[in-house]
């Protein structure tokens, strides 16, 4: 099951479970659409995999399987600003 991480690990933008701006790779590295496209050309800087739109978990399922709340910030040089 996807963790649905709550933030972009580059710019720390909020990415709530229903966000259509959340982009992930197969390892669930999570970025906002802006960082994924403008900083990384839709390629994960950690694994090199494709960054695609994260699916939205239906609200009823969120009650049983809530999104992760712990925030994570990566340390990629492109994120330093």
């Amino acid at each position: 099951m996807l963790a649905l991480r709550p933030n972009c690990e580059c710019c720390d933008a909020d990415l709530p479970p229903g966000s259509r701006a959340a982009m992930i790779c197969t390892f669930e590295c999570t970025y906002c659409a802006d960082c994924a496209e403008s900083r990384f050309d839709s390629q994960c800087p950690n694994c090199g995999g494709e960054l695609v739109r994260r699916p939205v978990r239906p609200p009823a399922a969120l009650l049983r399987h809530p999104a992760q709340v712990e925030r994570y910030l990566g340390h990629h040089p492109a994120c330093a600003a």
Side-chain angles (χ1 to χ4, degrees):
M1 181 174 320
L2 294 175
L4 301 179
R5 295 177 181 167
N7 66 303
C8 173
E9 66 181 70
C10 187
C11 73
D12 200 29
D14 290 336
L15 296 171
S19 175
R20 296 195 178 270
M23 307 292 283
I24 61 171
C25 72
T26 60
F27 291 98
E28 289 192 70
C29 298
T30 304
Y31 299 95
C32 67
D34 185 48
C35 286
E37 294 165 11
S38 66
R39 296 177 193 247
F40 304 120
D41 197 28
S42 298
Q43 183 176 4
C44 180
N46 300 318
C47 71
E50 180 181 18
L51 291 169
V52 297
R53 189 178 70 78
R54 180 180 72 190
V56 173
R57 186 169 298 156
L62 276 170
L63 294 174
R64 289 190 331 264
H65 306 286
Q68 180 177 321
V69 294
E70 183 180 335
R71 298 177 82 83
Y72 174 79
L73 286 176
H75 303 287
H76 192 276
C79 299

